[in-house]
Amino acid sequence: MLNASERRKLTDTIKEVESRTDAEVVTVLARQSDNYLYISTLWAAFLSLLLAPLMQFLPWWIEYQQAFTLQWILFIVLAVLFRWRPLTMKLVPKKVRFWRASNLARRQFLEHELHSTKHRLGLLIFVSQAEHYVEILADRGLAEQITNESWQEIVENFIHEVKKGKTGEAFVHCVEKCGELLEEAAPATTIKNELPNHLVLL
């Protein structure tokens, strides 16, 4: 997550960008988009059930009650172990991770009322850290003038910088690049500040 200095710099960058465009920019950084409790629990249960058929290969006899107890112990240990976030994310399929992150991005777009800005010029830059997911959502007024390919290029550069460990710089560069497109598509005609300029942390 970004430190205080990086968040201040990002806030200043957003203010500077919005001074040159009628668009409203909101940035959201989520630690993760879901706790994926159901997936880690299912994995723990599945591996615990596999213990039963494997017990027949043991070189000694084991009572039913002992086998049942071992399964429960294994389930509890795995359920706790799989809650370690780096391991949890390994267990979650990529499609599921991106689907959950995408859903959260759209909820944030609505919760921050980016769909109700004047002239429909709202823009959301959404990042979910655990899923390594970045998405830029533009309202109708911007989508009609700026292609998805332009946003995708910015997203790809963002991800490239984040992989180098430069999350703070990547966020600032992303806002600046978006600002260039916004200034061209919706140059400033009035002073406004409908939505928060600071980074929203989830």
Side-chain angles (χ1 to χ4, degrees), residues 125-159:
I125 302 173
F126 175 85
V127 179
S128 191
Q129 190 178 43
E131 288 81 3
H132 301 153
Y133 183 87
V134 180
E135 185 171 8
I136 297 176
L137 294 176
D139 203 1
R140 185 180 304 164
L142 296 173
E144 291 173 348
Q145 302 182 64
I146 304 174
T147 64
N148 287 332
E149 289 74 18
S150 298
W151 300 125
Q152 188 58 35
E153 183 179 350
I154 295 175
V155 167
E156 289 172 359
N157 290 334
F158 190 119
I159 294 173

Side-chain angles (χ1 to χ4, degrees), residues 8 35 45 52 83 91 126 128 137 148 157 183 194 199-200:
R8 283 195 299 270
N35 60 21
R83 294 309 301 148
L91 298 174
F126 175 85
S128 191
L137 294 176
N148 287 332
N157 290 334
E183 185 178 6
E194 300 177 62
L199 176 66
V200 178

